[in-house]
């Protein structure tokens, strides 16, 4: 029978809730923190709000004819129980939760939470898959060594990942970077020292990103790859509800081109981070996030397309 | 182990979710409609928002030392699946859902939804218990015969209940009524023809309602009684997020005096209706509703007090 | 036939619109300015928003059984066409518009606009009635000689009125005054030099104002009297949408006690000023204003009570 | 004389209000419902808010040099008086109101209200003109047979129109469709069975729609045509205040290209639907709607261009 | 010369900014953190927003005729530079900053920030003055041993203070406590083990607190005393912009009675904490905080009253 | 040492505050008025809000490698003290304040305030530099002779400038003009009588403006030029917080192309006007303004690029 949109406990896409990832091909999971945030907080309520707005999502991807639920067993497995007072302990808790998901052979689709979380998630992912490729969509490089004197936070996760060998650096692409910077040549470490492909927002302006994604699929190849999407990659007009917005960003059209351009890759995990509901006055940032997470599910390996 | 407040699927008071009322002493249940509303809509999202804000609630009632969870088995049983396009069909669906709850011997604590829902709920309640007493807290009498030409809506539920013999009219009290009216003597039908006790807001202004509740406990006696609380009974300063606000209303202090004053009664069901999240810009109306529902649970029969 | 609340051009209380005051006992009229404001602007949209929210108002006063529309011919006569760039010219335009209303023998019920407007309105009123009594409800005395170097503005209207002999100073009462001040003895000019009755908010706290109004009716007697109600008299919890809010103010209950306490006086005009919609995030300040204006109409001379 | 923008009863574009369409070439008219909505409500206040924001509109179209008021007699004729409790009765009321407008030889420019209203409007339009062409701009096809078990609602109007022969199906174009779907091939019925031209959003992305409109003018030819514009056709960044937003939509530039591209067609009616003020936190969705309605008026037959 | 309210860099009360407390009798200082928060964040922006709204404050206290600026040298000394990623390091930074203020013989008037900050502030205060009396106004006791597994946070500051001997426990009063609780007898530790005077909200309801303050002045005597005011002591209607609101709280009238009731005490520091601007949709919570801080300044020792 | 983003008195870009322009190469300065506004007010709080949001800005321009602070001595010199009650007096105050800035040889970077302010600013600028070139980015031409009967206001500044010979008309370009108009050929005076280059929004749609700026650099040549940027040039999706929004405007990408395209010109002053915080519900319009002002600083003469 049909279910009215406002009706029912707010799980992601009105999927069933279950306690663990056992038996699932993919799982939506929340990591409700914002203690890694340097500016506006609120991302701790990202998972709750994304779930609420996801009630609008239907079963098929109209644009690509993907039929994710005919292909995969998916559920909402709730949230990692974070420590709101200790970011380092939170990281440990995340890593342990994701170890279990990885052990279950399940692909995590993460509802953030601030971007700090990608670091412990990738620890668990790399423990299973070895160093992975990374498609990182963001206004920020998130590869600072230290932010405000600290090593762990939403400006440093991929630096930590590189240090720990979690990334296959030649298979890393960063898309959408922009904004004022702490140094004149802000992406040198990424490009010259690590060999990342860095695509600043300026190179994306007013262009389809479909050709870029063809290149990136070449770069990334057939190995395991992780997709990390910071909602602030989008222009603030499209995603006002976030903590460190930067003007002149990507469009939702480009976001879909990026995600749909990941079809065919061996995605082993995805996250959508930095949705801050207190700054999302209409709920549309969370709704956008819900759509992007749905589209990520649609490009997971083995999804059937009509 | 502790659970961070932002963490977890948003059920009422972080209680476990289960599909039916079987085995429960009391159940939180949502009825997400606003199609009975005459002015501002939005109450369809009341249950979702009340659940979200209820994450702040702890296990005990600090003010009264009630220990509801040491006394009762309680869960969140989700929402009635309403028909957003047909209010009469929705009423049928509500009645059927509550029949099952009543059959399970469970006390429903309802998260509305607009006030129309009390009519089909009381149909199911009276089917089990016979005509019941009613403590109705509201800015409006909700006993119009017809509103805007229609018999079913949020201005008429208790008229319908009277017509169908669901209420024990001598055991009905209405508290907080006020505002501009369709006739000069707006409560005559209630008082003179039905014998309701009507306590307009003017009689409540700047007073403790504890003495009033002593009187009402006398009036209501030991029979089954239903508590229906329209959030617009409160002054709009305390509950802005509602559809037909009326100025100069009750305070949350008075709301607690009313609910705590129901302790000792044989409550067979309670509802909290008319929370409209789009007009609740801070979430605090939903938070207030969550607190009032928690307090209602605390005065159910058999709850232990320290 | 019934009319749905959202339906129809937004006139005050869904009354008919007409171009002039001819043939009316009372008229709702807007004065959409905020160029007299010293802090937050926005009151220029007060009339529009008060009209929009007034759609909730019904025909009778439930609390007092007043039947205004059985007693008076009332319409909405639109707005004074103000000069948003020149406050002094605006004052002239207001005075001229109100002269015509007074000439028609009609009582103006004004939707403000900032409090500057009471000065030119009282010029027209006193031209017809001679010096009038004044019941002035406000957080502020509005009797500064000069504010920020200027003579005309929302902090000075009643000083100008006194200077021009528009007020019968022994028949003036100011209620609700409070807040930080430009001098230690802020109300001395009012009390000692003009003989106003000044009732600071501190004297109103946690009290019914019904006894005060009995006194004030004595003070004001049978002569013509004007009621000027600045919405910031209310505590900001009840009226957040205003430009210079001061904490610890009056309640809507007290506002009703004041207005209902004017019954029997010879009211020759009323205004409700300083509603600033951009700061009224829920619309409830405008709704409160609409209710207060409706209640003012209910206490005009000759209104029938059941 | 000039009129200040905040001044005056809020009619559409500050036009005079009149009770009927008699004597008018075109009329703005509101249909304030949202009871056909499946997700977020609020569109019942669309007409009121669009009128309020339309105060900014001037007399000429700067971009095209159209002079609508030198060409046409236009007024605001208020709202259809809807039944907020019975959607089917509302449809009847709409149909009857539009019959009168059609009888007066007037072109209705409708302020919605949810999209359900296009069905009864088209009943009246086709009664006069026979089956009409349709340019339907929307994120959704709105041609479901049944939504949530019901035949009448905002997801089904054009299915009903086809069933009743109100549309000349070869002269129907749908532009901007997108989003998740209830089936993998969501537009097959439209394209293959009815011969509609369907232009999904993906085909519009990052393109001028001026060439598309040249094609559509060919397709539609010289017969009577109706323009139905759902504000959710726009990307939610440009029109956040709507009930079922879908990401990656059209831009206002494209909206103007579509409407301006209708110049020369024999437009017999236009609507702008689905503006939901409670979700339009800045008023800019309503302002956008007001602009689009103004532009529709500018492309009606016989409008003079300088 | 006069200064327009919107004009100028936003310091507290438009006071001059200076880098240190040298030469000051009292200093406004901000501590912009929210990493001690268990529920809604945002208090990190409290100081900035309180300063912005404080532009409305004038030089004298209208209600009490206090003339603070004729009595004391006061300035705004900016914010403690906190570590947003490490709450324990932040505490150290706060303690050090306040040591310097205490060394300068200056009374700090603190703009919070979450309530964690009172712990390191009191460390510095007690280092100078020895164990101090405490007037703690709050919805919460903030004396948990551990919250969510952690010792440092906004639920524990006064437990830590007791453990470290910073408080003179017989001279501690807690006012306004309420809400759901983690145990049935929530305030036993405070009352029975430490000898605090605990005044739950229920004992404050609908009463003047002036008599209570007379008692508390007796209790506190002539020794050094610290005033810590959590804005959530107020009912959420008056202070919606806070992180853990509890219904049925104090009124601003009572807040003024408490603060004005501190006149004559030997206040050695004051704070106003837990204002969360993202939840303060009108700015009025910050405005209330600004007023309360101004009133605290007015009751410092040596302030002149007219 | 690092400074946390929420920390510190809110000056522009966390720069030091100083009282005068002495010794500065460039200065941020606010002009907090909105009394020149014809529609929505609020721009008086623009400077305060832009400063607050500017806390996110770092030291370098990531996109262009500009290092403004290695090149120029810059500070925030506060606001012009305006007369909120008299627009003409305010203009005089602005002119005098800018004369001092010009005398100090400092380039003013102005935070508006409504667009009226550009007129007195240009009086001071031309007094020093003679008639200047102008790059004016706006939805509106702002060259009306009279608006609503008045000569001074935000619709007339550049008409006044032309009349007073402040502009070198052949070196004036206006970009982004659009919207409904008071006449059919709205820009004739500008183009035909004054020889301005007028680039309506329609000519900008969906295009890079980098080629346009190459042309404009040719047009403007090596003489002194002023850049005046009205935030309403941007589409309202990107800048909702403004007083007279017009749909289908420029993008932030185009804004950056325009500003970065000014590199190499002899800029003698820049302003960013019309940010209205009450309509900027997320703060992102102010954040956009802060970014654009930062980018303006980056293209001032003598700024070093890496
Ligand atoms: Mn990131
Ligand atoms: Mn980012
Ligand atoms: Mn009700
Ligand atoms: Mn009600
Ligand atoms: Mn006033
Ligand atoms: Mn006032
Ligand atoms: Mn539609
Ligand atoms: Mn649609
Ligand atoms: Mn606290
Ligand atoms: Mn607290
Ligand atoms: Mn302009
Ligand atoms: Mn403009």
């Amino acid at each position: 029978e049909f279910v009215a949109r406002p009706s029912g406990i707010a799980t992601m896409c009105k999927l069933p809730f279950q306690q663990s990832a056992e038996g699932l091909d993919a799982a939506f999971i929340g990591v409700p923190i914002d203690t890694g945030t340097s500016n506006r907080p609120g991302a701790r309520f990202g998972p709750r709000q994304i779930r609420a707005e996801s009630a609008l999502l239907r079963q098929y991807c109209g644009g690509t004819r993907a039929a994710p639920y005919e292909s995969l067993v998916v559920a909402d497995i709730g949230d990692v129980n974070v420590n709101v007072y200790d970011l380092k302990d939170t990281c440990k808790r995340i890593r342990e939760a994701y170890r279990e998901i990885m052990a279950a052979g399940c692909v995590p689709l993460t509802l953030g939470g601030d971007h700090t979380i990608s670091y412990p998630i990738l620890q668990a992912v790399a423990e299973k898959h070895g160093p992975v490729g990374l498609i990182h969509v963001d206004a920020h490089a998130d590869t600072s060594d230290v932010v405000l004197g600290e090593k762990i936070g939403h400006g440093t996760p991929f630096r930590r990942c590189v240090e720990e060998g979690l990334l296959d650096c030649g298979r890393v692409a960063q898309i959408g970077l922009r904004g004022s910077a702490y140094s004149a040549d802000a992406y040198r470490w990424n490009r010259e020292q690590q060999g990342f492909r860095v695509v600043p927002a300026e190179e994306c302006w007013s262009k389809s990103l479909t050709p870029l994604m063809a290149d990136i699929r070449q770069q990334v190849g057939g190995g395991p790859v992780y997709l990390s999407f910071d909602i602030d990659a989008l222009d603030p007009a499209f995603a006002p509800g976030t903590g460190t917005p930067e003007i002149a960003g990507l469009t939702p059209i480009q976001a879909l081109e990026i995600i749909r351009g990941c079809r065919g890759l061996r995605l082993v995990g995805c996250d959508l981070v930095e949705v801050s509901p207190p700054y999302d006055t209409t709920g549309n940032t969370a709704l956008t996030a819900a759509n992007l997470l749905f589209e990520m599910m649609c490009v997971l390996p083995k999804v059937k397309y009509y």
Side-chain angles (χ1 to χ4, degrees), chain A:
Chain A
E1 199 208 29
F2 61 87
V3 177
R5 286 202 174 110
S7 193
I9 298 291
T11 59
M12 185 69 187
C13 297
K14 292 186 179 281
L15 287 165
F17 166 69
Q18 69 177 60
Q19 296 283 353
S20 90
E22 276 315 310
L24 301 178
D25 296 305
F28 290 106
I29 174 170
V31 188
I33 69 160
D34 57 11
T35 41
T37 303
S38 56
N39 192 48
R40 299 176 182 167
R44 65 178 65 188
F45 294 124
R48 187 191 285 170
Q49 193 70 19
I50 294 170
R51 283 186 180 104
E53 295 295 340
S54 75
L56 194 53
L57 285 159
R58 305 162 198 90
Q59 290 76 26
Y60 295 86
C61 182
T64 64
R65 305 193 177 198
Y69 302 128
E70 296 184 13
S71 323
L72 304 174
V73 182
V74 192
D76 185 327
I77 61 169
D79 288 344
V80 176
N81 186 18
V82 297
N83 181 341
V84 297
Y85 293 127
D86 186 324
L87 187 53
K88 282 150 201 136
D89 181 41
T90 290
C91 285
K92 211 181 70 183
R93 289 161 172 271
I94 297 169
R95 189 173 60 239
E96 282 162 16
Y98 278 75
R99 266 182 188 146
E100 287 185 39
I101 297 168
M102 300 317 289
C106 170
V107 178
L109 297 158
T110 300
L111 294 65
D114 74 58
H115 220 154
T116 312
I117 67 176
S118 298
Y119 163 47
I121 292 172
L122 280 163
Q123 287 180 314
V125 167
E127 211 173 279
K128 163 105 177 212
H129 293 287
V132 294
L134 173 70
I135 297 173
H136 172 213
V137 192
D138 202 325
H140 311 95
D142 291 356
T143 51
S144 293
D145 183 22
V146 167
V147 171
L148 299 172
E150 290 289 323
K151 290 273 189 176
I152 303 296
H154 76 158
T156 62
F158 301 113
R159 184 78 161 227
R160 295 294 88 77
C161 288
V162 167
E163 290 171 355
E164 297 188 13
L166 313 177
L167 299 180
D168 183 358
C169 291
R171 293 173 56 239
V172 172
Q174 295 187 297
I175 307 171
L177 312 192
R178 64 190 187 275
S180 64
Y182 294 111
S183 65
D185 193 353
Y187 315 130
R188 187 163 12 166
W189 181 88
N190 311 44
R191 282 170 164 149
E192 296 180 17
Q193 292 189 250
Q194 309 309 327
F196 290 4
R197 172 159 194 177
V198 175
V199 187
E202 280 86 352
E203 294 179 18
C204 301
W205 286 356
S206 311
K207 258 187 217 160
S208 168
L209 298 187
T210 300
L212 171 71
M213 291 309 297
D215 281 12
I216 285 176
R217 281 196 304 274
Q218 288 284 341
Q219 176 198 1
V220 163
V225 60
Y226 187 85
L227 172 60
S228 187
F229 199 115
D230 184 329
I231 198 76
D232 69 24
L234 294 182
D235 189 277
F238 302 97
T242 194
T244 49
E246 307 288 346
I247 66 168
L250 304 187
T251 64
I253 292 172
Q254 292 177 318
L256 292 182
E257 288 171 340
I258 292 169
I259 296 173
R260 292 176 183 178
C262 290
R263 188 175 164 197
L265 295 180
R266 198 179 136 217
L267 285 168
V268 295
C270 305
D271 64 50
L272 188 300
V273 298
E274 298 284 358
V275 172
S276 175
Y279 294 91
D280 185 22
T281 54
T282 62
N284 288 348
T285 307
L287 179 66
T288 299
N291 272 275
L292 297 184
L293 282 157
F294 177 84
E295 295 266 349
M296 289 173 184
M297 176 175 61
C298 289
V299 293
L300 291 187
K302 298 192 204 153
V303 168
K304 172 179 177 182
Y305 281 71
Y306 279 92

